[in-house]
Amino acid sequence: MLKIYGNRQSGNCNKVEYTAILVGVSYDYQVLDFQKDLKTQWYLNINPVGKMPAIDDDGFILFESGAICKYICDKKSSSLYPKELKQRALVDQWIDFSINHVGVSISKVAFNRIFAPMFGMPVDENSLKEGLQWLERYLPIVDTQLGKSIFLAGNELSLADITLLSVLEYSDKAKVELSSYKSLTAWRNKLLLMDFYKKVHSA
Amino acid sequence: MLKIYGNRQSGNCNKVEYTAILVGVSYDYQVLDFQKDLKTQWYLNINPVGKMPAIDDDGFILFESGAICKYICDKKSSSLYPKELKQRALVDQWIDFSINHVGVSISKVAFNRIFAPMFGMPVDENSLKEGLQWLERYLPIVDTQLGKSIFLAGNELSLADITLLSVLEYSDKAKVELSSYKSLTAWRNKLLLMDFYKKVHSA
């Protein structure tokens, strides 16, 4: 059986679990402790980066949440990650956009507004300001895109939506104001009501 | 014919061109000017992010370099991006590792050591230090991996190698010391001698 190593405080781990639920794969979820587990030798043997998530699928070990989600989808030929060349390319495009632009920006904001205060680390005001400025550049792009189609890469739910949703996992706690982005907010509110989301957040 | 919009000063653009050459796709290369072209309406219609590269493949427009490379490979069923489930997952894993960890770290170093001085912008010492510290954590992982197999995701050249190579495009100019990573250096030196690399860098 698929084993997921993760923690439901992590957006990347939740992305993998959302995908497994949507695709209909059974899994064991092994909760990792952020402080205790990640630097232990047994976990570094699974993921040498010492980050979560990772999976062990009957002996096949994989890390990097994006690669894991694609693997889970392709193993089940799920429409969440379409096979058709151009449709897959557009899903890949919006996955990469969500991670490389929105995700990198939100990480800066979340680190300085949530995690630095939590762990008694210094707040980097430059980094915080940069993250917020970048979000003002990138969020309008997804908002415009979500005004054109029901989901991020067209009118079907895809891994691109699951990726963006998980990237936005910390946005409320990090006080990233999304309400002025009407299409993005409507899209997000729709996803937050879906069973896969509720299942993970009530686990 | 495939049209690539890019600039050969950009590692992400070069990644797309390396891929097109390796896969054997003919292309027109439209060189963009970093200052003049990216914020024009005609280019924002192609890539709303105002970044390069982007492609126009007989009317099919795509941005995000990673998505473009996968599209080019899959269009030609290239072994550079293998179809077999687990082999593809490992290629995806090392692509994501190269971008999310090595790439994000090198960007911090390159921005502060190359681009900030070039454009008269302030150097962020915190960001530079963080980038260097992260590289000390991530480069040993690729070095270890490249000690186990000829290429990053096994014994065949893959899109993971092309991705890491392009991520390292600025490493010399950014004075990122790679020589202590013996397997990584040997792997890189081998790739730098290959025709696809020489063709792009003599264009």
Side-chain angles (χ1 to χ4, degrees):
Chain A
M1 187 188 275
L2 176 69
K3 180 178 272 187
I4 299 173
Y5 296 95
N7 187 303
R8 295 189 178 93
Q9 300 298 312
S10 151
N12 283 335
C13 296
N14 291 349
K15 178 173 64 174
V16 167
E17 196 175 7
Y18 299 150
T19 302
I21 293 168
L22 282 164
V23 167
V25 171
S26 304
Y27 57 90
D28 269 340
Y29 197 102
Q30 181 162 342
V31 177
L32 299 181
D33 184 294
F34 283 92
Q35 312 278 353
K36 290 182 193 154
D37 290 322
L38 299 181
K39 299 295 180 293
T40 58
Q41 197 54 54
W42 77 264
Y43 188 67
L44 290 171
N45 287 341
I46 292 168
N47 182 352
V49 196
K51 295 194 175 191
M52 54 175 107
I55 60 165
D56 182 340
D57 188 26
D58 291 325
F60 179 64
I61 286 174
L62 196 66
F63 53 91
E64 291 296 329
S65 61
I68 294 170
C69 290
K70 290 169 186 171
Y71 169 77
I72 290 173
C73 286
D74 275 347
K75 190 174 177 185
K76 292 285 180 183
S77 293
S78 169
S79 61
L80 209 55
Y81 193 39
K83 293 273 187 206
E84 193 279 320
L85 179 68
K86 289 180 182 174
Q87 191 51 43
R88 171 163 294 206
L90 292 173
V91 171
D92 278 333
Q93 169 187 279
W94 289 111
I95 287 174
D96 289 354
F97 181 86
S98 298
I99 292 171
N100 299 339
H101 301 309
V102 184
V104 168
S105 312
I106 281 208
S107 292
K108 287 175 184 274
V109 179
F111 178 80
N112 288 296
R113 285 191 173 163
I114 305 173
F115 302 107
M118 191 183 286
F119 295 111
M121 296 166 77
V123 170
D124 183 334
E125 294 291 347
N126 275 343
S127 170
L128 173 59
K129 190 175 151 196
E130 193 172 58
L132 290 168
Q133 283 173 341
W134 288 0
L135 286 174
E136 283 181 23
R137 177 173 171 193
Y138 299 136
L139 289 176
I141 292 169
V142 286
D143 192 49
T144 299
Q145 178 63 15
L146 287 165
K148 291 182 198 164
S149 54
I150 300 174
F151 294 105
L152 195 48
N155 289 328
E156 301 292 331
L157 182 74
S158 80
L159 208 43
D161 300 288
I162 303 309
T163 303
L164 181 60
L165 184 72
S166 72
V167 156
L168 296 175
E169 197 104 352
Y170 300 121
S171 59
D172 297 335
K173 279 190 188 162
K175 295 177 191 142
V176 171
E177 186 52 68
L178 296 180
S179 61
S180 63
Y181 303 109
K182 300 296 182 200
S183 299
L184 173 61
T185 300
W187 162 91
R188 188 171 178 237
N189 287 342
K190 191 165 52 192
L191 290 178
L192 297 183
L193 289 173
M194 290 186 179
D195 285 347
F196 76 87
Y197 185 88
K198 290 194 279 190
K199 185 169 175 191
V200 168
H201 287 269
S202 63
Chain B
M1 186 187 277
L2 177 69
K3 180 177 272 187
I4 299 174
Y5 296 94
N7 187 303
R8 295 188 180 92
Q9 300 298 313
S10 151
N12 283 336
C13 295
N14 291 349
K15 178 172 66 174
V16 167
E17 196 175 6
Y18 299 152
T19 302
I21 293 169
L22 283 163
V23 166
V25 172
S26 303
Y27 57 90
D28 269 339
Y29 197 100
Q30 181 161 343
V31 177
L32 299 182
D33 184 295
F34 283 93
Q35 311 279 355
K36 290 182 194 154
D37 290 323
L38 299 181
K39 299 295 181 290
T40 57
Q41 197 53 51
W42 77 264
Y43 189 66
L44 290 172
N45 287 341
I46 291 167
N47 183 350
V49 197
K51 297 194 175 190
M52 53 175 108
I55 59 165
D56 181 341
D57 189 25
D58 291 326
F60 179 64
I61 287 174
L62 196 65
F63 53 92
E64 291 296 327
S65 61
I68 293 170
C69 290
K70 291 169 185 171
Y71 169 77
I72 290 173
C73 287
D74 275 347
K75 189 174 177 185
K76 293 284 181 181
S77 294
S78 170
S79 61
L80 209 56
Y81 194 39
K83 293 273 186 207
E84 193 278 321
L85 178 70
K86 289 179 183 173
Q87 192 50 45
R88 172 162 292 207
L90 291 172
V91 171
D92 277 333
Q93 170 187 277
W94 289 109
I95 288 174
D96 289 354
F97 181 86
S98 298
I99 292 171
N100 299 339
H101 302 309
V102 184
V104 168
S105 311
I106 282 208
S107 291
K108 287 175 183 276
V109 180
F111 178 81
N112 289 296
R113 285 190 173 163
I114 306 173
F115 302 107
M118 189 183 289
F119 295 109
M121 296 166 75
V123 170
D124 183 333
E125 294 292 346
N126 275 344
S127 170
L128 173 59
K129 190 176 152 197
E130 193 172 58
L132 290 167
Q133 283 173 342
W134 287 0
L135 285 174
E136 283 181 22
R137 176 172 172 195
Y138 300 134
L139 289 176
I141 292 169
V142 286
D143 192 49
T144 299
Q145 177 64 14
L146 287 165
K148 290 183 197 165
S149 54
I150 301 174
F151 294 106
L152 196 49
N155 289 327
E156 302 291 334
L157 183 73
S158 79
L159 207 44
D161 300 288
I162 303 308
T163 303
L164 182 60
L165 183 72
S166 72
V167 156
L168 295 175
E169 197 105 351
Y170 300 120
S171 59
D172 298 333
K173 279 191 188 161
K175 294 179 190 138
V176 171
E177 185 53 68
L178 297 179
S179 62
S180 64
Y181 304 108
K182 301 295 185 200
S183 300
L184 173 62
T185 300
W187 163 91
R188 187 169 179 238
N189 287 340
K190 192 166 53 192
L191 290 178
L192 298 183
L193 291 173
M194 289 186 179
D195 285 344
F196 75 86
Y197 185 87
K198 289 195 280 190
K199 185 170 174 189
V200 168
H201 287 268
S202 64

